[in-house]
Amino acid sequence: MNNTENNKPHKLHRTTLIIGAVSLALIVILGILYFKNRSEMKVLVDEMVQEKEMLTYEFENLALDYDSLQTSSDTLNTMLEREREKISHLIEEIQTIKATNASKIREYKKELTSLRRVMKNYIVQIDSLNQSNKALQEENQQYKKKVTTMQSTYSKLEVVKETLQEKVEIASKLETFNMEAEGLNSKGRSTRRTSRISKIRICFSIQKNITAKVGEKNIYLRILRPDGALLYHSKDDLFEHENQKINYSAMRTIEYGGQELDVCLYYQVDAGELTGGEYIADVFADGRNIGTLHFNLN
């Protein structure tokens, strides 16, 4: 009886020790599991943070890739700007979410893939447009070269034309020969005494010229006295020479047919108008001086 009673406390003490040992073991095991899980969780969280940072980095690189796209198309530029704004908003959103929000991270990854695919499509379009622009630029350069060549040819032809016109003008200029001057008295007799001269007659021959224009021509005569004064009767007696109007002493209209032609012009002298010395007679036609003669009167 006593042995039984003595064994009871011993068994109770032994049970308590076993329970305590088991509890301690459980506590130790639970502690180990807790710290192990905590460590694993920390590693997982760190990985998710890195994944978020990497995702942000990839979106930023994508934004730079979009910024590098250049095109001359206003429509494409508008669409590219829209994509850039979208990427900028997504970067801001990613920075605000928690790294542990796995579902959101997956959504952004899908969006990143989609945006990359869209960008590749834009690259193809821009490359095609650039190729077309390059072809147009080359075609434009060829066109400019042709235009430059044509302009150069035209300029040369203009020079040739002007040269030919000058030659034609020179060739068509009337020329005189056998010019003679004579003073006539009131009876039509020849005299060189200025006091007796009532008319001055200038005669000459116009050379044959088949390139000159035929038809009526006005022949003008200018006679200068020894003192350089022009002999003329009216200030209204004018003709055009070298783009200005000048007076003439006498004028006659002839019919020129391209063949040699003899012509005489007369100047009616006013009383006391003449002086002794050397006179100069110039003949004009078609706005050009076609003959000059120096003669003396006493």
Side-chain angles (χ1 to χ4, degrees), residues 173-181 202-209 219 256 258-265 281 283 289-293:
K173 178 185 176 182
L174 297 180
E175 293 185 359
T176 60
F177 64 100
N178 292 337
M179 285 189 70
E180 294 180 351
I202 305 295
C203 293
F204 51 88
S205 296
I206 298 177
Q207 290 183 351
K208 176 181 178 180
N209 191 332
I219 308 298
Y256 183 71
Q259 301 299 317
E260 185 177 311
L261 181 66
D262 295 328
V263 181
C264 288
L265 283 86
V283 180
N289 187 323
I290 63 172
T292 299
L293 173 67

Tab-separated table of all heavy atoms in Angstrom, residues 173-181 202-209 219 256 258-265 281 283 289-293:
chain	number	residue	atom	x	y	z
A	173	LYS	N	22.752	96.118	-139.404
A	173	LYS	CA	22.986	97.563	-139.329
A	173	LYS	C	23.295	98.121	-140.718
A	173	LYS	O	24.120	97.587	-141.454
A	173	LYS	CB	24.147	97.858	-138.386
A	173	LYS	CG	24.499	99.336	-138.291
A	173	LYS	CD	25.716	99.563	-137.438
A	173	LYS	CE	26.123	101.032	-137.435
A	173	LYS	NZ	27.349	101.268	-136.643
A	174	LEU	N	22.616	99.205	-141.064
A	174	LEU	CA	22.882	99.870	-142.341
A	174	LEU	C	24.217	100.591	-142.280
A	174	LEU	O	24.594	101.132	-141.228
A	174	LEU	CB	21.763	100.869	-142.660
A	174	LEU	CG	20.357	100.283	-142.855
A	174	LEU	CD1	19.373	101.405	-143.173
A	174	LEU	CD2	20.339	99.239	-143.951
A	175	GLU	N	24.925	100.599	-143.371
A	175	GLU	CA	26.201	101.306	-143.450
A	175	GLU	C	26.209	102.188	-144.707
A	175	GLU	O	25.615	101.841	-145.730
A	175	GLU	CB	27.367	100.317	-143.479
A	175	GLU	CG	27.531	99.538	-142.177
A	175	GLU	CD	28.755	98.649	-142.184
A	175	GLU	OE1	29.464	98.629	-143.217
A	175	GLU	OE2	28.993	97.970	-141.177
A	176	THR	N	26.903	103.315	-144.570
A	176	THR	CA	26.963	104.266	-145.687
A	176	THR	C	28.382	104.333	-146.244
A	176	THR	O	29.358	103.978	-145.565
A	176	THR	CB	26.533	105.662	-145.222
A	176	THR	OG1	27.417	106.100	-144.186
A	176	THR	CG2	25.102	105.659	-144.706
A	177	PHE	N	28.456	104.790	-147.462
A	177	PHE	CA	29.757	105.047	-148.078
A	177	PHE	C	29.571	106.202	-149.083
A	177	PHE	O	28.430	106.595	-149.402
A	177	PHE	CB	30.327	103.794	-148.749
A	177	PHE	CG	29.518	103.287	-149.907
A	177	PHE	CD1	29.891	103.574	-151.217
A	177	PHE	CD2	28.378	102.505	-149.698
A	177	PHE	CE1	29.148	103.102	-152.290
A	177	PHE	CE2	27.639	102.030	-150.773
A	177	PHE	CZ	28.026	102.320	-152.071
A	178	ASN	N	30.696	106.711	-149.562
A	178	ASN	CA	30.680	107.839	-150.517
A	178	ASN	C	29.918	109.034	-149.960
A	178	ASN	O	29.127	109.683	-150.672
A	178	ASN	CB	30.063	107.422	-151.857
A	178	ASN	CG	30.931	106.422	-152.605
A	178	ASN	OD1	32.136	106.346	-152.379
A	178	ASN	ND2	30.310	105.649	-153.500
A	179	MET	N	30.127	109.345	-148.666
A	179	MET	CA	29.454	110.513	-148.094
A	179	MET	C	30.089	111.793	-148.631
A	179	MET	O	31.322	111.918	-148.676
A	179	MET	CB	29.529	110.489	-146.560
A	179	MET	CG	28.592	109.481	-145.923
A	179	MET	SD	28.513	109.670	-144.128
A	179	MET	CE	27.623	111.225	-143.998
A	180	GLU	N	29.249	112.755	-148.981
A	180	GLU	CA	29.719	114.045	-149.485
A	180	GLU	C	28.866	115.158	-148.899
A	180	GLU	O	27.667	114.980	-148.672
A	180	GLU	CB	29.627	114.100	-151.012
A	180	GLU	CG	30.552	113.137	-151.723
A	180	GLU	CD	30.420	113.224	-153.237
A	180	GLU	OE1	29.474	113.922	-153.701
A	180	GLU	OE2	31.229	112.620	-153.950
A	181	ALA	N	29.501	116.310	-148.665
A	181	ALA	CA	28.796	117.485	-148.161
A	181	ALA	C	29.015	118.636	-149.137
A	181	ALA	O	30.112	118.809	-149.676
A	181	ALA	CB	29.292	117.848	-146.775
A	202	ILE	N	23.787	116.867	-147.869
A	202	ILE	CA	24.610	115.708	-147.489
A	202	ILE	C	24.110	114.522	-148.293
A	202	ILE	O	22.954	114.109	-148.168
A	202	ILE	CB	24.521	115.397	-145.979
A	202	ILE	CG1	24.881	116.624	-145.140
A	202	ILE	CG2	25.406	114.201	-145.627
A	202	ILE	CD1	26.309	117.087	-145.267
A	203	CYS	N	24.966	113.957	-149.133
A	203	CYS	CA	24.607	112.800	-149.950
A	203	CYS	C	25.476	111.596	-149.578
A	203	CYS	O	26.648	111.756	-149.207
A	203	CYS	CB	24.770	113.127	-151.431
A	203	CYS	SG	23.597	114.358	-152.028
A	204	PHE	N	24.926	110.424	-149.735
A	204	PHE	CA	25.661	109.193	-149.418
A	204	PHE	C	24.939	108.018	-150.056
A	204	PHE	O	23.796	108.151	-150.537
A	204	PHE	CB	25.758	108.980	-147.894
A	204	PHE	CG	24.435	109.085	-147.202
A	204	PHE	CD1	23.616	107.970	-147.064
A	204	PHE	CD2	23.988	110.311	-146.716
A	204	PHE	CE1	22.381	108.067	-146.436
A	204	PHE	CE2	22.755	110.407	-146.083
A	204	PHE	CZ	21.950	109.296	-145.935
A	205	SER	N	25.597	106.873	-150.018
A	205	SER	CA	25.005	105.632	-150.518
A	205	SER	C	24.858	104.660	-149.350
A	205	SER	O	25.775	104.519	-148.519
A	205	SER	CB	25.870	105.002	-151.605
A	205	SER	OG	25.940	105.843	-152.741
A	206	ILE	N	23.709	104.009	-149.288
A	206	ILE	CA	23.497	102.964	-148.276
A	206	ILE	C	23.859	101.629	-148.903
A	206	ILE	O	23.372	101.286	-149.993
A	206	ILE	CB	22.047	102.944	-147.785
A	206	ILE	CG1	21.696	104.282	-147.119
A	206	ILE	CG2	21.818	101.788	-146.809
A	206	ILE	CD1	20.248	104.382	-146.665
A	207	GLN	N	24.715	100.858	-148.200
A	207	GLN	CA	25.184	99.584	-148.751
A	207	GLN	C	24.058	98.557	-148.822
A	207	GLN	O	23.075	98.621	-148.078
A	207	GLN	CB	26.320	99.028	-147.895
A	207	GLN	CG	27.619	99.804	-147.998
A	207	GLN	CD	28.731	99.159	-147.187
A	207	GLN	OE1	28.490	98.239	-146.417
A	207	GLN	NE2	29.952	99.633	-147.386
A	208	LYS	N	24.256	97.593	-149.700
A	208	LYS	CA	23.344	96.465	-149.801
A	208	LYS	C	23.420	95.628	-148.522
A	208	LYS	O	24.499	95.352	-148.007
A	208	LYS	CB	23.729	95.608	-151.016
A	208	LYS	CG	22.898	94.345	-151.173
A	208	LYS	CD	23.375	93.546	-152.381
A	208	LYS	CE	22.590	92.247	-152.523
A	208	LYS	NZ	23.045	91.462	-153.696
A	209	ASN	N	22.267	95.238	-147.999
A	209	ASN	CA	22.240	94.441	-146.757
A	209	ASN	C	20.970	93.598	-146.746
A	209	ASN	O	19.872	94.099	-146.502
A	209	ASN	CB	22.286	95.354	-145.528
A	209	ASN	CG	22.524	94.576	-144.249
A	209	ASN	OD1	22.163	93.411	-144.141
A	209	ASN	ND2	23.136	95.219	-143.275
A	219	ILE	N	15.514	108.450	-142.085
A	219	ILE	CA	16.938	108.777	-142.052
A	219	ILE	C	17.072	110.170	-141.435
A	219	ILE	O	16.437	111.128	-141.913
A	219	ILE	CB	17.555	108.760	-143.470
A	219	ILE	CG1	17.230	107.431	-144.181
A	219	ILE	CG2	19.070	108.983	-143.383
A	219	ILE	CD1	17.775	106.208	-143.526
A	256	TYR	N	13.415	101.217	-148.235
A	256	TYR	CA	14.634	100.409	-148.366
A	256	TYR	C	14.258	98.960	-148.648
A	256	TYR	O	13.446	98.363	-147.945
A	256	TYR	CB	15.475	100.504	-147.089
A	256	TYR	CG	16.792	99.755	-147.167
A	256	TYR	CD1	17.822	100.212	-147.962
A	256	TYR	CD2	16.977	98.574	-146.455
A	256	TYR	CE1	19.021	99.530	-148.058
A	256	TYR	CE2	18.175	97.877	-146.532
A	256	TYR	CZ	19.195	98.362	-147.337
A	256	TYR	OH	20.383	97.687	-147.434
A	258	GLY	N	16.754	96.503	-149.227
A	258	GLY	CA	17.896	95.633	-149.016
A	258	GLY	C	18.996	95.824	-150.041
A	258	GLY	O	20.090	95.256	-149.905
A	259	GLN	N	18.720	96.613	-151.075
A	259	GLN	CA	19.713	96.858	-152.115
A	259	GLN	C	20.388	98.215	-151.888
A	259	GLN	O	19.930	99.039	-151.101
A	259	GLN	CB	19.036	96.827	-153.490
A	259	GLN	CG	18.333	95.512	-153.812
A	259	GLN	CD	19.288	94.335	-153.817
A	259	GLN	OE1	20.394	94.435	-154.341
A	259	GLN	NE2	18.848	93.206	-153.223
A	260	GLU	N	21.498	98.417	-152.596
A	260	GLU	CA	22.224	99.686	-152.486
A	260	GLU	C	21.303	100.825	-152.900
A	260	GLU	O	20.553	100.729	-153.873
A	260	GLU	CB	23.466	99.644	-153.379
A	260	GLU	CG	24.352	100.858	-153.243
A	260	GLU	CD	25.610	100.746	-154.096
A	260	GLU	OE1	26.273	99.686	-154.026
A	260	GLU	OE2	25.897	101.698	-154.835
A	261	LEU	N	21.393	101.943	-152.125
A	261	LEU	CA	20.470	103.056	-152.368
A	261	LEU	C	21.188	104.376	-152.133
A	261	LEU	O	21.878	104.548	-151.130
A	261	LEU	CB	19.259	102.938	-151.427
A	261	LEU	CG	18.177	103.992	-151.560
A	261	LEU	CD1	17.483	103.868	-152.917
A	261	LEU	CD2	17.155	103.845	-150.422
A	262	ASP	N	21.026	105.330	-153.064
A	262	ASP	CA	21.606	106.669	-152.932
A	262	ASP	C	20.594	107.581	-152.261
A	262	ASP	O	19.400	107.596	-152.626
A	262	ASP	CB	21.983	107.228	-154.296
A	262	ASP	CG	23.095	106.419	-154.952
A	262	ASP	OD1	23.951	105.882	-154.208
A	262	ASP	OD2	23.097	106.301	-156.193
A	263	VAL	N	21.074	108.363	-151.269
A	263	VAL	CA	20.188	109.232	-150.498
A	263	VAL	C	20.838	110.598	-150.325
A	263	VAL	O	22.061	110.691	-150.117
A	263	VAL	CB	19.885	108.628	-149.107
A	263	VAL	CG1	18.935	109.538	-148.321
A	263	VAL	CG2	19.288	107.234	-149.243
A	264	CYS	N	20.040	111.675	-150.378
A	264	CYS	CA	20.512	113.028	-150.078
A	264	CYS	C	19.551	113.687	-149.094
A	264	CYS	O	18.328	113.506	-149.192
A	264	CYS	CB	20.588	113.875	-151.351
A	264	CYS	SG	21.928	113.418	-152.469
A	265	LEU	N	20.095	114.406	-148.114
A	265	LEU	CA	19.296	115.170	-147.166
A	265	LEU	C	19.741	116.628	-147.226
A	265	LEU	O	20.935	116.917	-147.424
A	265	LEU	CB	19.460	114.640	-145.731
A	265	LEU	CG	18.696	113.349	-145.387
A	265	LEU	CD1	19.517	112.137	-145.786
A	265	LEU	CD2	18.354	113.300	-143.901
A	281	ALA	N	28.940	115.997	-139.871
A	281	ALA	CA	27.606	115.509	-140.245
A	281	ALA	C	27.485	114.041	-139.835
A	281	ALA	O	28.317	113.212	-140.208
A	281	ALA	CB	27.384	115.664	-141.742
A	283	VAL	N	24.793	110.715	-139.740
A	283	VAL	CA	23.568	110.156	-140.308
A	283	VAL	C	23.108	108.995	-139.419
A	283	VAL	O	23.913	108.141	-139.020
A	283	VAL	CB	23.797	109.673	-141.750
A	283	VAL	CG1	22.502	109.085	-142.325
A	283	VAL	CG2	24.264	110.824	-142.627
A	289	ASN	N	23.942	105.233	-135.454
A	289	ASN	CA	24.740	106.127	-136.314
A	289	ASN	C	25.304	105.271	-137.452
A	289	ASN	O	26.064	104.338	-137.225
A	289	ASN	CB	25.877	106.754	-135.506
A	289	ASN	CG	26.617	107.804	-136.303
A	289	ASN	OD1	26.830	107.674	-137.494
A	289	ASN	ND2	27.040	108.868	-135.615
A	290	ILE	N	24.906	105.592	-138.680
A	290	ILE	CA	25.342	104.754	-139.801
A	290	ILE	C	26.389	105.460	-140.678
A	290	ILE	O	26.834	104.891	-141.682
A	290	ILE	CB	24.142	104.334	-140.664
A	290	ILE	CG1	23.460	105.548	-141.310
A	290	ILE	CG2	23.142	103.521	-139.838
A	290	ILE	CD1	22.389	105.180	-142.317
A	291	GLY	N	26.776	106.675	-140.305
A	291	GLY	CA	27.819	107.335	-141.093
A	291	GLY	C	28.166	108.700	-140.518
A	291	GLY	O	27.291	109.401	-139.994
A	292	THR	N	29.449	109.069	-140.614
A	292	THR	CA	29.926	110.376	-140.120
A	292	THR	C	30.852	110.989	-141.193
A	292	THR	O	31.682	110.294	-141.782
A	292	THR	CB	30.693	110.202	-138.796
A	292	THR	OG1	29.811	109.641	-137.805
A	292	THR	CG2	31.220	111.552	-138.295
A	293	LEU	N	30.703	112.304	-141.345
A	293	LEU	CA	31.494	113.022	-142.338
A	293	LEU	C	31.981	114.352	-141.751
A	293	LEU	O	31.190	115.074	-141.129
A	293	LEU	CB	30.686	113.296	-143.608
A	293	LEU	CG	31.345	114.179	-144.673
A	293	LEU	CD1	32.550	113.447	-145.288
A	293	LEU	CD2	30.336	114.573	-145.746
